[in-house]
Amino acid sequence: GALELNTVQGIPFRTDYFEGEVIFKLRSPDLGELKPPYQDYFRSRSRKFSLQIQGRFSKPSQGIVWLGAEVGHCDPSKGEDRMQLGFMKKTFCKIILNTINLMRGAILHYSFGDGDQLPHISLPLYIAADTFLETDEGMTPPAIGPEMFDEDEKSQKQRRKSNVKDYKFVPGKTYSFSLHNSNLDLYDWTVVGIPGIKSMDLSNFWRDMPLRIVGYMTDGPFSMPHNDLNKRYLFCFELRNNNLVSNPRD
């Protein structure tokens, strides 16, 4: 079903491996159209969207827990799910992604779509999350709402530099984490704000394929293919232009 945007309370969801609440915050070109808490939230920040999730694992995590984005119809009648990239665009994208990988310690997994994997960019959740908090059973987790989870700056820097790829998530604890971005304008379906590059229509890369923001687990080597056989989804939130729908993929 459709997932309401910019709510002041978390929206419950549940899959085979995770149960929790989500808030998807999307910036509008006219901040006056937004609810007052989100007018203030976006006015003081350059980010275009933010995803905030809080919940618990129903069973211990296995392998690596990933946070990322993928595109594709997952429908053979609509053709193969590959990004629409010419030689120059593909080379440019590879340079950027390989540079990020070099800077971050080879923690990025990506594909442009190869008939087996969907086009995707994923990183281990523990490192990739912009904020991450872990609350022991019996303790009160931070509130999920218009404001971001308040992770200590020192802790955040240590976590993101830790290169811990196989962080273990366990039942009982509550995990609160968020992801935000200032370059992916999902309201207008464009990439913006990259120095030296003008605004680009995402349809030039993805055609009419939807975008999914996902969390999933994989077993096996870090470099193994991220195909449906190897992925076990924790959550999957699908976007088609300005419309957001939930698809837990359980």
Side-chain angles (χ1 to χ4, degrees):
L3 183 67
E4 185 181 352
L5 301 172
N6 299 327
T7 57
V8 294
Q9 294 181 326
I11 297 175
F13 71 94
R14 182 177 184 175
T15 64
D16 288 344
Y17 300 97
F18 191 84
E19 181 175 4
E21 296 179 303
V22 58
I23 293 180
F24 198 100
K25 308 171 185 181
L26 183 65
R27 187 186 195 101
S28 166
D30 180 5
L31 295 184
E33 295 177 352
L34 301 178
K35 299 170 184 175
Y38 289 107
Q39 292 179 25
D40 297 336
Y41 175 83
F42 284 111
R43 188 174 290 117
S44 60
R45 298 170 174 89
S46 61
R47 61 192 59 162
K48 297 297 184 182
F49 78 88
S50 177
L51 181 72
Q52 195 174 17
I53 290 177
Q54 182 176 84
R56 296 185 177 193
F57 282 70
S58 57
K59 55 192 77 174
S61 64
Q62 297 176 352
I64 301 173
V65 178
W66 301 86
L67 178 65
E70 59 187 27
V71 297
H73 290 295
C74 301
D75 181 353
S77 69
K78 296 186 178 181
E80 199 167 66
D81 289 326
R82 293 177 183 265
M83 290 183 69
Q84 184 173 289
L85 298 173
F87 175 77
M88 292 301 293
K89 280 183 181 178
K90 193 169 187 176
T91 300
F92 175 70
C93 289
K94 279 187 173 180
I95 290 172
I96 292 177
L97 293 171
N98 289 334
T99 300
I100 294 172
N101 228 5
L102 183 65
M103 293 173 62
R104 294 295 305 274
I107 62 170
L108 191 68
H109 195 290
Y110 72 89
S111 171
F112 297 117
D114 56 15
D116 182 34
Q117 305 176 92
L118 291 172
H120 70 272
I121 301 175
S122 300
L123 298 88
L125 189 153
Y126 180 70
I127 305 171
D130 289 297
T131 58
F132 179 92
L133 294 168
E134 183 178 291
T135 306
D136 289 333
E137 190 169 10
M139 303 296 288
T140 303
I144 180 170
E147 288 305 314
M148 297 304 295
F149 298 128
D150 188 19
E151 181 180 13
D152 174 77
E153 186 175 347
K154 182 179 179 181
S155 171
Q156 184 182 57
K157 287 181 178 180
Q158 290 176 342
R159 172 179 59 81
R160 302 197 73 181
K161 291 181 179 179
S162 67
N163 208 33
V164 175
K165 298 174 181 176
D166 57 350
Y167 189 83
K168 300 303 180 188
F169 296 81
V170 298
K173 292 190 176 185
T174 300
Y175 298 95
S176 308
F177 54 92
S178 65
L179 172 71
H180 55 254
N181 189 277
S182 300
N183 303 112
L184 205 57
D185 187 341
L186 299 176
Y187 190 97
D188 288 329
W189 215 242
T190 55
V191 176
V192 298
I194 299 177
I197 301 175
K198 61 183 180 180
S199 173
M200 295 181 290
D201 188 337
L202 289 172
S203 299
N204 292 335
F205 298 91
W206 302 341
R207 305 190 305 278
D208 61 343
M209 293 189 293
L211 167 70
R212 286 182 286 275
I213 298 178
V214 294
Y216 56 84
M217 298 183 289
T218 62
D219 286 330
F222 185 86
S223 59
M224 73 182 300
H226 287 198
N227 53 30
D228 278 346
L229 182 65
N230 296 328
K231 291 184 294 188
R232 298 180 304 283
Y233 283 91
L234 307 173
F235 53 85
C236 177
F237 302 106
E238 184 175 285
L239 299 100
R240 297 174 182 268
N241 289 330
N242 290 333
N243 297 316
L244 182 71
V245 295
S246 127
N247 177 8
R249 294 288 294 271
D250 53 10

